[in-house]
């Protein structure tokens, strides 16, 4: 880890990881270029049991210790009293609908981060100016709408928590050796185009012991030291069961080193706040840690991400 | 169609279609019970090309002729001026995020309807009281959260617009004979557990000629006369490129007969406002109108639906 | 207090207080009928110093212990980076604006309650059905829009906290004898058409010691035993520095007895969550507890209230 | 008008109008410094009839031709079916409340603009950087919260539409000579500390003929040529029944010259989209165009304005 101990070293790491120009100067997809028809076909071939498993958390409106922005659900129409509704109004009174509102970035909702979600020295992935993400227009480049056809590829779960036999603690980072140990235990090797899911147990802990605030109370995550490993293996997308940066931060002058290394340098799209509990059980039960994975972001114009419900298909 | 020409006949139709009790008195899933591990495995076997195609429309914030509730996107943080941000604030200034808000039911956003979205004589699917859908709690039963593990099955596109060589007009209903003609043309037969997608061309018309308001200007849809056909074939979920009811309504005293027949009587979940344009081209190019389909609703607690981006996988 | 110790007695109290029909069967204004041109002229005559004092709390977006729904403020346009904005965009880049969203009812925002905000045995003020307050249309009667021309009258502050020399405690109710003691101390008598403001010190405590949740942690308020006194004196509108019901409730089967007695029986509009700290100091400094008061609700169509900033004018 | 015909001349006008530094380098109130205790006392002395008149438009949720952002009202709780509510739920079922959301800047809602609402060459009033109005924090200076104690002063209505005997047309600007003619007709002279209200009839036209979009269809307003007159007279706040800039713009390279001249150069706070119809009738009936005026912005932290309901008190 010596090579990223200082902020100067972090800048050097950013250079090492850079995918800027790798897929052309116009590229906005970053590592998602590694997902090909062939990877999708191989992924579909993994379906044997016909069982699907969510990798998303429920979305609720309650205020909890990890809420930064409250999720809203208000009924435009409800069904209350409609059984006794005056006949004259019956026609317009046969449906219920709702408004939903959310800041999906945060610590509770499972969501995709596009490369436009983070900046480094005024730039986003592929060297564009962060000024292209404006208050009025939103993300004019590297928007989630690029993923209109979704992400379908092989998913691989590396269950680091299971490997250690415990939940990772606040401030604890998953290291490359953890990933390789999990690969060995699972009998699987992460390959180009894979969507890598890493389980620290953070969400399991939340279910068992209640919510905590990642910034105030700390959280585990993949350590930024894994970034070169992700690049070497050709990870197309990374999801973990945390907000995807160790807290307290390992790099005080950088803040969110994993976000910046992945999103800005590599164009490696992230899935934050996954729920990998049911998935871990499904994998363990089958002794199989690879599966078809389908991720279908909403087609939000000019957005830096989307809430998602990634589906593992066994 | 003589048998549903009157409202008395509509009530009789509701009896005929009823799936209440078919999967037990506690059932909330309705026709989604027809999707089994076996149907999912067969669906995955359809993946040959490794190509995915969205069935969703883009979600935009503009006010258009078919807007009932404006979709909101506001930036919590933007990137503007962050390239010249004072160093002291640099750390907290490295990300962009947004609030999104929407009433996804309506005429523009591709979304799932749960059975709790419509009532008939004070009841929702399986005989529950519509009073269970309250302003405070939302849909306490038959909520979209039931679909946490998503819907993966075979999708079948019946391209009625292609069969007729034209877009369907306002007030025009797709009839069972249209469906069977489209089956014959496609060389496919809709079977139990399928997600049926019907293309009227309504969204293609919107792309070509601009938005119109379904209630004011009319729209095509599957006619309620197809409901017995859906039941006979075991359709698990129905999506079309309209809001899923012919307008002006064929049954003035009922209002939305297709919604009520599908959601209330059959527990047949709907996908409204699909975009089937790219899908139609993808099917025609392959001369194959069946595919693996993955639908991943957001895990919204107590909601009568969810925006979705259904993915066809060839 | 013996006469309202039980719920049967509460029902009897409701009868005693009733203003239903007092100003006609069509009336929606309730006790605001007591504000007349003459009361307004007398109120204006109280202006001597030309000093105005807010009776509202600041509206903030932070989550605090007394938040039930988070207040939203998102910028539609900001000024960031606009000093270095490319000239081509300069024209469209000269303004900043925001979205605000709130559930003003609750425990933090100073707001007016209309009589439509509470029901009793299925009725709102003047015997209307609570079914007139619908999810789709909102308050079809007794809406805050009735107050389009605002409320201008004499305001009287009864500073019960000052009289007791301490903040009132959770669960503690202001009693009629407290009001009369405060009148005597202030040398003022509450008269028909007055807007009565009662200070318990609850908001001062919040400023000094931080927020608490009224339902979980308790709060003081005017006790429902004051309701007959309000009626006898002709109070036109009542504001206090709490959410206007003692917590824990004095009447478990009723829940919010003061709201129900005032809003439903009397048509006495309320102002919840006032800030009376600056006002109390302004009154004490002048040894004058009466003043001109102007309240200007937003003209929200079909709403059960409005956030307000009541202004005392000395 | 020759002196502001060109953009160079506009820059010179800005210099001429500048109040930067006039009330100190820390000042944020601008022309509101001209409202003093003495002006408030004189204003209160104008109250003779005890009649109040709103200067605000109703706030509705409908989409109209002049909507840019839809106003939201959703019920958190409604009264529907509560008359037949099961007893077990009765307690929690006795109230109705709503969420409201809006972008009050725009063309339909009566609202205050703070000086932070517009920039000129990267600066807001008193020479501050527009970078102080950020997406995350909002208006860190010159926020509407500065007006926590409201604005109470003399209001003067100059009814230019009445003077001309017709509504002003799109693109037509009120000129200084119109103001002086209206003064003469009203027998009133605008003096330091007054809130000046100018009626063009634009809102009356909307009520009579329906909404139009100011930018697409044009609108009248006070012409920027009036700005020196406002400064000479000591206008403390300016409200009109339009969005406060002539459209199409008289200064294409500037865009909104009146906003910029008033807000940025003078620190002259604006009230946009007033309703002066009832006020004009109230003035004409009394042959008196001066009155006490109370404006009570919501105490929104870090906001560039607030919806308001200004009250004229006769």
């Amino acid at each position: 880890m010596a090579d990223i101990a200082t902020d100067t070293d972090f800048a050097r790491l950013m250079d090492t990881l850079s995918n800027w120009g790798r897929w052309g100067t116009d590229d906005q997809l970053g590592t998602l270029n590694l997902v090909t028809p062939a990877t999708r076909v191989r992924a579909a071939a993994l379906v044997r049991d016909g069982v699907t498993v969510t990798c998303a958390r429920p979305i609720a409106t309650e205020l909890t210790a990890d809420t930064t922005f409250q999720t809203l659900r208000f009924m435009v129409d409800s069904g209350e009293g409609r059984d006794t509704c005056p006949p004259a109004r019956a026609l317009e009174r046969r449906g219920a609908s709702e408004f939903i509102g959310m800041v999906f970035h945060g610590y509770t909702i499972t969501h995709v981060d596009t490369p436009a979600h983070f900046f480094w020295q005024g730039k986003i992935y592929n060297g564009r100016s962060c000024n292209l993400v404006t208050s009025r227009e939103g993300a004019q480049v590297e928007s989630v709408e690029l993923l209109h056809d979704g992400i379908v590829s092989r998913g691989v779960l590396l269950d680091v928590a299971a490997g250690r036999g415990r939940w990772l603690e606040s401030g604890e980072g998953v290291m490359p050796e953890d990933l390789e140990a999990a690969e060995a235990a699972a009998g699987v090797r992460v390959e180009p185009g894979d969507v890598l899911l890493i389980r620290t147990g953070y969400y399991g802990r939340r279910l068992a012991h209640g919510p905590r605030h990642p910034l105030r109370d700390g959280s585990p995550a993949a350590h930024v030291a894994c970034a070169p490993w992700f690049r070497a293996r050709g990870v197309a997308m990374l999801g973990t069961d945390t907000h995807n940066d160790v807290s307290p931060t390992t790099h005080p002058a950088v803040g969110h080193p994993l976000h910046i290394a992945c999103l800005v340098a590599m164009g490696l799209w992230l899935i934050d706040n996954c729920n990998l509990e049911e998935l871990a059980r499904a994998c363990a039960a089958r002794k199989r840690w690879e599966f078809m994975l389908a991720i279908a972001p909403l087609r939000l114009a000019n957005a830096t991400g989307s809430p998602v419900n990634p589906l593992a298909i066994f």
Side-chain angles (χ1 to χ4, degrees), chain A:
Chain A
M1 289 313 308
D3 64 342
I4 55 168
T6 69
D7 297 323
T8 308
D9 292 335
F10 185 79
R12 196 176 312 135
L13 174 68
M14 292 291 288
D15 284 342
T16 307
L17 295 172
S18 176
N19 283 330
W20 294 10
R22 178 173 169 189
W23 294 285
T25 54
D26 288 343
D27 182 60
Q28 303 183 52
L29 284 175
T31 54
L32 289 176
N33 284 290
L34 299 169
V35 180
T36 65
T39 56
R40 291 188 199 105
V41 169
R42 282 198 300 270
L46 295 171
V47 177
R48 296 172 208 164
D49 302 334
V51 170
T52 62
V53 179
T54 181
C55 301
R57 307 183 188 183
I59 300 177
T61 57
E62 284 78 18
L63 293 168
T64 51
D66 46 6
T67 304
T68 43
F69 289 97
Q70 189 173 16
T71 295
L72 309 176
R73 178 186 46 68
F74 300 121
M75 300 306 286
V76 173
D77 266 320
S78 80
E80 288 174 282
R82 302 297 167 83
D83 49 347
T84 57
C85 184
R89 314 211 53 181
L91 263 188
E92 65 205 87
R93 291 293 168 180
R94 288 186 180 157
S97 60
E98 58 270 275
F99 170 84
I100 57 165
M102 64 181 80
V103 177
F104 51 82
H105 291 297
Y107 309 119
T108 59
I109 295 174
T110 307
H111 67 273
V112 165
D113 286 351
T114 83
H117 176 51
F118 260 81
F119 330 129
W120 171 247
Q121 297 177 335
K123 301 294 184 192
I124 56 176
Y125 167 68
N126 223 0
R128 295 183 175 90
S129 168
C130 66
N131 282 327
L132 290 164
V133 186
T134 64
S135 49
R136 169 69 70 159
E137 290 86 4
Q140 297 173 89
V141 293
E142 303 177 17
S143 156
V144 78
E145 166 63 359
L146 289 166
L147 305 194
H148 46 77
D149 287 327
I151 303 298
V152 171
S153 192
R154 184 174 75 149
V156 172
L157 174 69
L158 295 185
D159 190 344
V160 175
R164 295 206 186 170
R166 63 169 177 82
W167 295 319
L168 271 70
E169 298 295 328
S170 293
E172 196 170 9
V174 171
M175 289 298 180
E177 49 268 33
D178 294 304
L179 300 178
E180 296 188 356
E183 280 188 325
V188 70
R189 181 182 165 86
V190 175
E191 291 179 355
D194 283 348
V195 178
L196 173 60
L197 302 175
I198 300 175
R199 179 171 174 265
T200 69
Y202 184 75
Y203 184 61
R205 179 181 199 129
R206 187 189 192 278
L207 290 174
H209 296 302
R212 303 196 300 182
H213 193 284
L215 298 199
R216 288 192 296 264
D217 305 318
S219 78
H223 194 282
V224 69
C226 293
W229 192 94
F230 298 150
R231 191 178 194 284
R233 291 301 185 88
V235 171
M237 203 165 189
L238 170 70
T240 79
D241 55 357
T242 78
H243 77 288
N244 269 326
D245 253 298
V246 174
S247 177
T249 181
T250 53
H251 291 68
V254 176
H256 291 77
L258 191 71
H259 273 75
I260 292 172
C262 291
L263 297 174
V264 182
M266 292 197 276
L268 172 54
W269 300 51
L270 300 175
I271 318 171
D272 294 348
N273 308 322
C274 291
N275 160 19
L276 303 175
E277 299 306 296
E278 289 89 344
L279 181 65
R281 286 193 289 272
C283 289
R286 288 171 179 79
K287 300 199 185 310
R288 189 153 61 92
W289 284 265
E290 59 171 355
F291 38 83
M292 187 185 194
L293 188 69
I295 306 169
L298 301 181
R299 295 189 63 178
L300 301 169
N302 290 19
T304 69
S306 171
V308 287
N309 182 0
L311 299 180
I313 312 167
F314 288 90

